[in-house]
Amino acid sequence: MKEYTNTQPEFSKSIQVVETTDPAHADNINAATRQLLQNTLSNRAVIGRLLGYSYDSDRGRVVCMLPFDFDNGKLTVPDGMGRFDGEDRLVLEAAI
């Protein structure tokens, strides 16, 4: 078996599934799995871009929040914008 990845996934509203009359060839068997992975990667990219924004009801618009990265269960905050205290709580630094 080999690893499959896609650096530019495309979301699809449908997938192809193998039918009993299809030959049991890897291209047929893997088609649905590939598309499901592409859909997952595509959704993950959209969610990742949305994480840094919030709706500000006072201003009536979407605003950018603290830019951070959340990868493999680890939250990374840019230097000077926040820190973690001794109890693993995120403390944000505000410039007023």
Side-chain angles (χ1 to χ4, degrees):
M1 294 176 70
K2 69 175 188 175
E3 287 189 28
Y4 171 78
T5 188
N6 189 324
T7 57
Q8 297 198 359
E10 292 185 28
F11 185 85
S12 176
K13 291 182 179 184
S14 64
I15 61 168
Q16 293 183 332
V17 293
V18 179
E19 295 183 331
T20 56
T21 56
D22 293 333
H25 189 275
D27 288 342
N28 292 333
I29 303 296
N30 292 328
T33 305
R34 281 190 184 111
Q35 189 57 59
L36 291 173
L37 176 62
Q38 286 195 56
N39 286 357
T40 299
L41 294 172
S42 179
N43 288 337
R44 184 176 191 258
V46 170
I47 291 168
R49 287 191 300 270
L50 291 175
L51 286 175
Y53 293 89
S54 177
Y55 181 72
D56 183 342
S57 59
D58 293 337
R59 296 186 205 173
R61 63 181 179 166
V62 174
V63 295
C64 183
M65 294 174 28
L66 176 69
F68 63 87
D69 183 35
F70 188 73
D71 192 26
N72 293 326
K74 180 179 178 185
L75 179 67
T76 304
V77 180
D79 288 340
M81 299 192 84
R83 62 181 168 76
F84 290 96
D85 69 6
E87 296 181 22
D88 291 332
R89 289 182 295 198
L90 177 60
V91 179
L92 300 176
E93 307 294 334
I96 299 177

